[in-house]
Amino acid sequence: MAVKNYIEAITDALALEMRRDERVFVMGEDVGVRGGVFRATAGLLDEFGPQRVLDTPLAEAGIVGTAIGAALNGMLPVAEIQFVDFILPAVNQIISEAAKIRYRTAGDFHCPIVIRAPYGGGVHGALYHSQCLEALFTHVPGLKVVTPASPYDAKGLLLSAIRDPDPVLFFEHKRCYRLLKGDVPADDYTVPIGKVAVRREGSDITVFSYGLMLHFCQEAAEDLASEGISVHLVDLRTLLPLDRESILAAASRTGKALIVHEDNKTHGIGAEVAALISEEVFFDLDAPIMRLCGPDVPAMPYSSPMEKYYMLDQKKIADKMRELAAF
Amino acid sequence: MEIEINMPQLGESVTEGLVNRWLVKPGEKVVRDQPLCEVVTEKVNAEIPASHAGVVQDLAAGEGDIIPVGQRLCTLFTDESGEETGVEPDHSPGHKPEDSEPSVQQDRSQKLRYSPVVLRLADEHGLDLKAISGTGTGGRVTRKDVLAAAEMANEPASESSPAPPGALPLPDENQEQRVEHRTVDPIRRMIAERMVRSATTIPHAWTVMEADVTDLVAFRQKVKNRFFNQEGVRLTYFPFFVQAVIKGLQEYDQLNASWHQEHIHQHRDVHVSLAVATDKGLLVPVIHQANRLSLTGLVHAMDSIIKKARAGKLTPDDVSGGTFTVNNTGAFGSVVSMPIINPPQSGIVTMEAIVKRPVVIDDMIGIRSMVNLCFSFDHRIVDGAVAGQFLQSVCRHLQVMARESSF
């Protein structure tokens, strides 16, 4: 089995599905000749030609609107938004159109689009290249929001997303692109949307995370193991719909739950997971549900020390884990 | 300004106190030093005074509650700005905790806060949460603590439940009902903790010597009635013994010392700790600067402190600062015992029962009053040779004491 990094796994999935199903095509800013600013679509133009690898104008509403129209006409578009920071002009298309098509046509039409977008900080990207915007979309019924935390999941989840009959936002943490390497099978496999993955079995505290933070949580959990603190680590993977059963089972397992995400705290994913746990398994709880999240400030700072302050890291996470374990 | 009144450190290694009775009510005006409540600890009973004049705002502890040292008992509201009174007054002057006694000041503030899962599991397993000691923050009982307690509680039950084939049916009473579970009271727990600490951390060495106290017995017989008429106190052998120990300690002052890991503290004065049996348990009051007392003075000092101990009226000062312990084990007929050192002291000597025995003196056999002195010492502080010389010295003093004492 080949060892690939996270972004190679994405390219792998796109090429595989384009070979398998000729309705699949990619579109976005610089995805063709340039092969994507992060090289996610490198080589696709050569293999599949300009009819299936479309360089678009810098107009996100146009990219998503075109994708929706193509999907309604039987195509399976994979649209790339160069940075999630630029998805905002397309929000009307996503929320008002894509998310509602199945509902407003009583199931006569559906909207099988995938919108890929790199997100997240820690790359010195400052205000407009560092945002986490997943919580804007997880509030919207009719959407699916996915964010893989490993190369294996990146490929398997992207294949599931393309094959899903409804709109899927596929968020890729840009720091993971070349940081994470792992075994990625060359053949066709899928990772189901709406299912968590338990990354580590433990008995003292349960930690939920996703994306880059999941990776930091994993490292922190390894540190804590040497201190005798056993962490049960859950990768949410899909933020909408949440895998309620697995989340509740994992929280009940230790009675102590911590949600870690890079996105800011207020009205974030952590709030939803915490509310779910306290609604459903209150009598299994042994401690207040804790959240460790980015600060509620408007944007990622440009200054390196400030960016470091903003971002969670292994140490901040380990400290919070210790606090919960001691409670 | 709000002033918190906290549980003071009432003596060495006291970690908590029981609020026996409140003497004030919320809203009541108090003057400075007015007693606020009575507190009972393993060793002493004390009244907690108001550090400032003011109004009592709230009581943070109920009567019967056990409050850790340093935790809030109540809050006073004062008019003072607090600028000059920012320092928490020391309620227990003269006995700062010894540094060799890492006072186990556990925060138990969360002991009675139970999480949903803890309440549910305790209910399911029929466990008394107050009996479970918590390992969480602030002494909170965690889910794991309850699960561990449930497992412990289940073990004996599962062993005894399947009756062996052919076994006689048990009597109606459940076996468990034949065992009474008594809660460990603060004094008992204190004694247990100290004994375990002493026995497990101090390398005890032990030696016994016998002293011929025939002259002393005769002397006491001769003077005891006169002594009682003059002093109003009965003259027993124990003060003679205590004085002999003090003299021995003055000669071998290496033993009037305490162990503090990096340092050995050498004490100039002998503060004698007396082991006193009371109906509540063993108490160890201290006679300070006993080396400055005459025999008569010692008799009075011992008499008054022992009475105080038995009446439960010892103050923090009365139980702290001892440098060496003596124990009158002979009072209950023992002839040999192995005493456990009262940390951080260097040693403890017992006076066993005085018995008449045939003894060989100058190749003749005589009937003499003999007493054994048993000595446990901390081998980290001194070696056997010094310990032996010390004990010999005590015996010698005891033997000649009759000649040297006069009333």
Side-chain angles (χ1 to χ4, degrees):
Chain A
M1 203 183 298
V3 172
K4 290 189 172 156
N5 63 31
Y6 188 99
I7 198 158
E8 287 165 345
I10 302 270
T11 315
D12 210 18
L14 290 171
L16 186 147
E17 199 61 2
M18 287 172 83
R19 276 177 220 125
R20 200 183 73 92
D21 187 336
E22 61 181 15
R23 294 174 299 166
V24 178
F25 71 100
V26 299
M27 61 187 298
E29 295 157 9
D30 289 325
V31 299
V33 178
R34 178 81 178 90
V37 289
F38 290 103
R39 315 292 295 151
T41 50
L44 297 185
L45 182 65
D46 290 343
E47 184 176 349
F48 301 103
Q51 297 284 313
R52 297 182 69 194
V53 183
L54 275 66
D55 273 323
T56 68
L58 303 186
E60 288 77 11
I63 296 170
V64 175
T66 307
I68 292 170
L72 292 176
N73 284 282
M75 301 296 285
L76 298 175
V78 181
E80 179 179 303
I81 300 293
Q82 202 166 65
F83 288 83
V84 83
D85 312 66
F86 311 146
I87 206 170
L88 297 174
V91 165
N92 182 52
Q93 289 296 321
I94 296 169
I95 293 180
S96 295
E97 306 299 339
K100 293 177 172 51
I101 283 170
R102 183 185 283 281
Y103 186 82
R104 83 177 202 222
T105 64
D108 287 347
F109 291 86
H110 61 108
C111 186
I113 63 168
V114 175
I115 302 171
R116 289 182 42 248
Y119 76 104
V123 295
H124 209 44
L127 280 70
Y128 297 111
H129 297 81
S130 301
Q131 297 178 58
C132 296
L133 295 181
E134 56 270 24
L136 288 186
F137 299 101
T138 51
H139 186 61
V140 180
L143 296 179
K144 292 185 173 116
V145 180
V146 170
T147 175
S150 73
Y152 180 93
D153 279 3
K155 178 174 175 180
L157 274 170
L158 184 52
L159 290 173
S160 290
I162 298 172
R163 293 170 196 177
D164 195 278
D166 293 302
V168 178
L169 297 182
F170 194 86
F171 290 146
E172 302 156 11
H173 198 292
K174 63 178 86 71
R175 178 93 188 278
C176 293
Y177 275 158
R178 300 189 191 279
L179 177 71
L180 303 184
K181 296 184 176 63
D183 287 334
V184 178
D187 51 349
D188 184 354
Y189 68 93
T190 57
V191 169
I193 292 174
K195 288 281 167 216
V196 304
V198 174
R199 296 298 181 196
R200 191 186 178 94
E201 303 250 330
S203 59
D204 287 323
I205 61 172
T206 302
V207 178
F208 299 96
S209 191
Y210 58 90
L212 178 66
M213 293 305 124
L214 186 276
H215 181 68
F216 291 166
C217 287
Q218 219 155 358
E219 290 176 340
E222 276 159 33
D223 286 354
L224 264 60
S226 63
E227 298 169 20
I229 298 173
S230 162
V231 177
H232 193 71
L233 180 60
V234 177
D235 181 358
L236 291 173
R237 297 202 289 198
T238 299
L239 306 181
L240 185 70
L242 285 174
D243 182 357
R244 296 165 59 98
E245 270 180 30
S246 304
I247 290 170
L248 298 177
S252 298
R253 181 180 172 117
T254 65
K256 292 180 171 182
L258 167 66
I259 304 112
V260 178
H261 56 64
E262 178 183 330
D263 193 8
N264 62 302
K265 188 179 204 171
T266 302
H267 293 289
I269 306 298
E272 183 57 34
V273 172
L276 174 67
I277 293 169
S278 91
E279 277 176 346
E280 300 293 334
V281 291
F282 181 74
F283 291 104
D284 289 336
L285 287 182
D286 194 29
I289 302 169
M290 294 187 183
R291 288 183 285 165
L292 182 67
C293 312
D296 285 321
V297 298
M300 179 73 71
Y302 180 66
S303 134
S304 289
M306 293 295 283
E307 182 183 48
K308 197 160 180 288
Y309 174 82
Y310 183 105
M311 288 292 288
L312 299 181
D313 59 25
Q314 190 179 329
K315 186 186 170 297
K316 293 177 193 172
I317 293 171
D319 286 347
K320 193 72 179 174
M321 286 176 170
R322 285 189 195 99
E323 180 191 337
L324 180 57
F327 185 86
Chain B
M1 191 182 93
E2 287 187 353
I3 305 277
E4 285 193 358
I5 305 295
N6 299 324
M7 177 67 76
Q9 178 86 37
L10 291 167
E12 292 163 10
S13 68
V14 170
T15 59
E16 60 188 22
L18 184 143
V19 177
N20 194 37
R21 195 155 65 92
W22 279 102
L23 305 169
V24 294
K25 287 195 258 324
E28 190 172 328
K29 264 189 125 169
V30 294
V31 297
R32 195 189 149 106
D33 294 333
Q34 179 177 338
L36 299 172
C37 62
E38 286 177 5
V39 167
V40 178
T41 72
E42 294 91 338
K43 288 186 154 183
V44 293
N45 303 338
E47 286 178 343
I48 309 299
S51 58
H52 298 71
V55 176
V56 179
Q57 281 201 303
D58 67 324
L59 309 182
E63 291 181 356
D65 285 357
I66 293 175
I67 305 297
V69 168
Q71 197 177 306
R72 189 170 71 96
L73 290 166
C74 67
T75 302
L76 296 182
F77 192 81
T78 70
D79 298 332
E80 299 166 46
S81 68
E83 272 162 26
E84 33 183 329
T85 53
V87 182
E88 177 72 9
D90 187 357
H91 296 297
S92 46
H95 51 89
K96 299 238 156 47
E98 303 271 89
D99 47 0
S100 80
E101 299 208 338
S103 53
V104 208
Q105 286 193 28
Q106 281 161 350
D107 174 13
R108 302 229 177 110
S109 56
Q110 303 299 309
K111 179 118 179 34
L112 295 178
R113 305 236 163 174
Y114 301 128
S115 71
V117 72
V118 161
L119 288 171
R120 179 171 65 74
L121 290 172
D123 186 38
E124 283 171 14
H125 292 93
L127 295 169
D128 174 13
L129 284 172
K130 291 210 172 114
I132 300 174
S133 67
T135 61
T137 306
R140 192 183 71 92
V141 176
T142 67
R143 173 177 161 278
K144 285 201 155 182
D145 295 333
V146 179
L147 290 174
E151 204 169 303
M152 292 249 294
N154 281 338
E155 265 170 18
S158 61
E159 272 169 28
S160 62
S161 51
L168 287 172
L170 286 172
D172 280 355
E173 286 156 305
N174 186 321
Q175 281 293 351
E176 265 184 43
Q177 287 169 347
R178 306 287 302 160
V179 180
E180 185 199 349
H181 293 253
R182 270 188 297 126
T183 326
V184 177
D185 63 44
I187 290 192
R188 206 62 251 161
R189 190 170 62 202
M190 175 74 179
I191 293 171
E193 280 170 7
R194 291 188 71 115
M195 291 300 120
V196 168
R197 181 149 63 90
S198 176
T200 54
T201 62
I202 298 178
H204 281 67
W206 182 71
T207 182
V208 184
M209 286 187 193
E210 59 177 6
D212 185 337
V213 289
T214 313
D215 291 351
L216 179 62
V217 171
F219 176 73
R220 174 181 167 268
Q221 191 60 34
K222 192 174 85 190
V223 302
K224 67 177 186 187
N225 287 333
R226 183 152 52 88
F227 188 90
F228 183 77
N229 291 336
Q230 262 178 26
E231 304 294 331
V233 180
R234 279 186 48 214
L235 179 64
T236 66
Y237 294 109
F238 196 38
F240 291 99
F241 164 72
V242 172
Q243 195 162 55
V245 170
I246 293 166
K247 287 184 173 176
L249 286 173
Q250 285 173 320
E251 275 171 54
Y252 296 94
D253 59 357
Q254 301 100 305
L255 276 157
N256 193 36
S258 48
W259 180 262
H260 299 265
Q261 302 305 335
E262 302 301 317
H263 299 98
I264 291 175
H265 292 188
Q266 187 69 52
H267 304 287
R268 293 216 171 83
D269 285 320
V270 181
H271 308 303
V272 177
S273 299
L274 302 174
V276 178
T278 73
D279 46 6
K280 280 187 174 174
L282 176 69
L283 293 176
V284 193
V286 180
I287 296 174
H288 294 95
Q289 296 182 315
N291 50 312
R292 298 187 183 180
L293 298 176
S294 67
L295 185 68
T296 309
L298 197 57
V299 172
H300 282 289
M302 288 171 65
D303 181 69
S304 80
I305 200 109
I306 290 170
K307 280 183 180 149
K308 225 170 156 184
R310 297 211 162 119
K313 288 187 175 160
L314 292 174
T315 67
D317 281 347
D318 291 334
V319 293
S320 56
T323 60
F324 200 88
T325 300
V326 290
N327 191 359
N328 184 11
T329 47
F332 43 83
S334 164
V335 290
V336 177
S337 57
M338 285 181 66
I340 295 178
I341 295 166
N342 181 12
Q345 298 174 4
S346 70
I348 176 169
V349 181
T350 67
M351 183 178 84
E352 305 293 329
I354 297 172
V355 287
K356 284 191 174 175
R357 286 204 287 112
V359 176
V360 176
I361 305 166
D362 295 336
D363 288 340
M364 292 181 295
I365 295 174
I367 294 173
R368 309 291 293 177
S369 292
M370 303 298 289
V371 65
N372 285 336
L373 305 186
C374 302
F375 179 33
S376 291
F377 61 93
D378 184 341
H379 213 314
R380 295 173 300 186
I381 298 176
V382 289
D383 299 325
V386 172
Q389 286 163 6
F390 158 75
L391 198 56
Q392 263 180 1
S393 156
V394 176
C395 289
R396 199 169 52 242
H397 285 297
L398 209 47
Q399 276 161 203
V400 301
M401 196 153 277
R403 273 169 255 156
E404 291 172 359
S405 305
S406 60
F407 293 104

